[in-house]
Amino acid sequence: MRNAHDAARRLPVLAATLALFTLPAAAAAQVDDEEWLENCRDQRDRRLEHYCAVQVQRVEAAGTPIRVDAHPNGPIQVLGWDHGQIEVHMRVAARAETEAEARELAERVRLVISGTTIAADGPERRRDADWHAGFVVLVPRRSDLQIETYNGPLVVEGVAGRMELSTRNGPLSLRDVGGDVHARTANGPLTVVLAGTSWDGAGLDAEAVNGPVTLLIPEGYSARLETGTINGPMSSDVPLTVERIERRSRISAVLGSGGPPVRVVTMNGPLSIKRR
């Protein structure tokens, strides 16, 4: 029972730590490490001291898929920008019994970049001395991505390319993306914000297993849309010309003049389609 009690007590602390890494949708120029550091330092823990640090590094974009590893609990945000290089901001939050120990722990966490694979490497985590690293990664707007998170949010904004994206326990957000995109979240909300007048690329295939889905569509958008939910209500502010209904859980519809396929569905959770 004591272990269960300790675990329950630590959950709000872990949630607060992960919340430090979440950012509102913003242009790449608005990435503000100083603001993140200030927010991180304001966090309080009744038992452990905090130390927060940021490492920044640029590498050349090699034309190969960009991979980011923030295991086990790190969030990832990927933003497209108008440069040919990749800029990585690794944000480390460490906790230990004293501030000096927390600082030493944070300084032992290294940003490791091999080609276009980005990861954090650091000392073994303990209950009285742990750390988490999150990433904000600025990439050329035309980039291929292969990213998976386990217990943290994943945000991709302003990027077009071949993408394999997944989260196990955390929200997944796609905003103004294009290309050939496959996105999955097992336990977490899925948000898709479309841009322009039609999908730029081969298409989108985005699915949530357990979680709500929100799809935002601009005025005058054209696509071949597949959407729906198996267990949950569905609502739409956007008029849909329905071509097919499957088992009352999936609908195929034409938006405008049609276009590349846009598939946004959930198995267990509400689905909401709104006008952007």
Side-chain angles (χ1 to χ4, degrees):
M1 292 294 293
R2 182 177 180 179
N3 289 340
H5 175 74
D6 289 344
R9 186 177 62 181
R10 291 196 303 273
L11 282 175
V13 176
L14 174 58
T17 303
L18 293 179
L20 292 172
F21 297 105
T22 60
L23 294 172
Q30 293 177 318
V31 175
D32 191 338
D33 290 326
E34 289 301 322
E35 181 180 1
W36 178 84
L37 285 169
E38 182 178 347
N39 292 335
C40 181
R41 290 163 182 158
D42 285 342
Q43 298 300 307
R44 293 292 181 266
D45 189 311
R46 287 178 293 179
R47 193 171 59 88
L48 298 175
E49 297 293 330
H50 274 82
Y51 187 82
C52 310
V54 175
Q55 298 180 35
V56 181
Q57 185 174 335
R58 278 197 185 187
V59 295
E60 294 297 328
T64 55
I66 299 168
R67 298 177 175 87
V68 185
D69 182 358
H71 296 164
N73 298 315
I76 299 170
Q77 185 175 26
V78 181
L79 303 174
W81 71 340
D82 299 318
H83 295 272
Q85 293 178 309
I86 301 169
E87 184 171 287
V88 182
H89 297 241
M90 184 178 75
R91 296 170 169 180
V92 179
R95 298 185 307 152
E97 292 185 346
T98 69
E99 183 177 350
E101 291 173 329
R103 177 173 182 169
E104 180 185 7
L105 185 62
E107 291 175 346
R108 292 172 62 192
V109 179
R110 298 184 303 113
L111 172 57
V112 180
I113 301 178
S114 177
T116 53
T117 297
I118 300 160
D121 182 58
E124 182 180 356
R125 296 172 175 87
R126 307 192 311 269
R127 187 166 63 178
D128 61 346
D130 67 356
W131 58 272
H132 301 282
F135 293 95
V136 179
V137 185
L138 309 180
V139 305
R141 295 193 183 277
R142 292 286 176 177
S143 295
D144 296 340
L145 305 175
Q146 292 182 2
I147 302 176
E148 179 181 14
T149 67
Y150 281 79
N151 298 305
L154 172 58
V155 177
V156 179
E157 180 177 346
V159 183
R162 293 180 61 87
M163 301 185 206
E164 295 289 339
L165 310 170
S166 67
T167 69
R168 293 196 182 183
N169 298 300
L172 174 59
S173 176
L174 309 176
R175 185 182 182 92
D176 302 350
V177 301
D180 185 4
V181 180
H182 299 261
R184 296 289 185 273
T185 177
N187 298 297
L190 169 65
T191 302
V192 177
V193 182
L194 301 176
T197 57
S198 65
W199 185 263
D200 176 17
L204 169 66
D205 181 3
E207 182 173 334
V209 177
N210 298 304
V213 168
T214 303
L215 171 62
L216 276 70
I217 303 176
E219 184 79 32
Y221 196 85
S222 294
R224 289 187 290 115
L225 176 67
E226 179 184 343
T227 190
T229 175
I230 294 177
N231 297 303
M234 176 178 170
S235 63
S236 177
D237 297 337
V238 179
L240 302 175
T241 302
V242 177
E243 290 187 330
R244 186 174 71 256
I245 301 177
E246 299 179 4
R247 301 186 305 277
R248 298 183 180 180
S249 60
R250 296 282 189 269
I251 66 171
S252 296
V254 175
L255 298 177
S257 58
V262 173
R263 179 177 183 267
V264 182
V265 301
T266 181
M267 293 183 63
N268 301 301
L271 186 143
S272 176
I273 302 174
K274 299 178 181 181
R275 183 70 71 190
R276 179 176 181 180

